[in-house]
Amino acid sequence: MSRRPFIAGNWKMNKGPRDADALAVELKRLLADHAAADVAVAPPFVSLPAVIARLQHSGVAVAGQDLHPEVSGAFTGAVSGEMLAQAGCRYVIVGHSERRSLFGDTDATVAAKLRAAYRAGLLPILCVGETLAQRDAGQAQDIVAGQLATALAGLPLDQVLQLTIAYEPVWAIGTGRTASPAQAQEMHAGIRAWLSARYPREVPATVRLQYGGSVTASNAAGLLSQPDIDGALVGGASLTAESFRDIVAAAG
Ligand code: PGA
């Protein structure tokens, strides 16, 4: 079974409503025929309405960058999955390493957020990845397996089948230091093997595995040509319409 490539742009804390709308205008124009891949962008919360309105009928979906596990309540500053869904998001990023390292998300928090995403009817993009110290200590596979085990524990099969997993080695995020295609493929094959060992065959055959960490228009083709790399989660290079378009083009 062949998996449809999936390219997502994570705008992080960039692009307020006006700048986000301008970027969305460009994306709508440049991605008018991107039929070979699924494409999504994740603007900051305040820019969601502008981007969602602009990208209507463009085929480019919109994602939240994070969500709170609860539906509503006294959680100052937080946004729930239900709110993202009501705003018109289709996807949500869960467990990004910046949320883990800068905002204290633990594996348990990530698991709760993953369940909250499904409860809200959103499609989660679950981020996993090891730090440089963990890689140097030979623990990369174990760390990622542990993150997957906690996040996916008890998740029903129909939800696992809808998951996208983004492997984002922490040492490659925003550093300009990409994992080589061989390094990324090795981890992606490991993740698929992890899924194969625990779920029916349709799961490893269906679940899309994105690579993230300093993906650019020039290194995307090498990464995306690997058999177990089904897409990319792109940070910096998604802030320019042309480079994001080139990455999408490399996928199809
Ligand atoms: P980067 O970010 O492409 O700027 O390295 C990727 C990510 O954090 O998703």
Side-chain angles (χ1 to χ4, degrees), residues 55-87:
L55 292 178
Q56 252 180 13
H57 312 302
S58 69
V60 178
V62 178
Q65 295 181 11
D66 184 40
L67 76 168
H68 191 276
E70 300 295 332
V71 178
S72 62
F75 302 102
T76 302
V79 170
S80 70
E82 281 74 8
M83 292 172 182
L84 294 174
Q86 198 177 109

Side-chain angles (χ1 to χ4, degrees), residues 10 12 96 98 168 172-174 213-215 233-236:
N10 174 10
K12 308 192 178 183
H96 189 278
E98 285 150 19
E168 300 207 302
I173 295 177
S214 298
V215 174
L233 182 54
V234 185

Side-chain angles (χ1 to χ4, degrees), residues 1-6 167 178-190 192 207-211 219-232 250-251:
M1 184 195 295
S2 79
R3 293 170 295 274
R4 192 172 153 77
F6 179 22
Y167 167 58
T178 326
S180 68
Q183 271 176 327
Q185 166 57 26
E186 184 186 22
M187 182 62 82
H188 281 231
R192 218 177 287 286
V207 169
R208 292 185 290 191
L209 307 183
Q210 294 177 323
Y211 168 79
N219 63 28
L223 289 158
L224 292 166
S225 63
Q226 299 298 312
D228 288 299
I229 301 183
D230 308 313

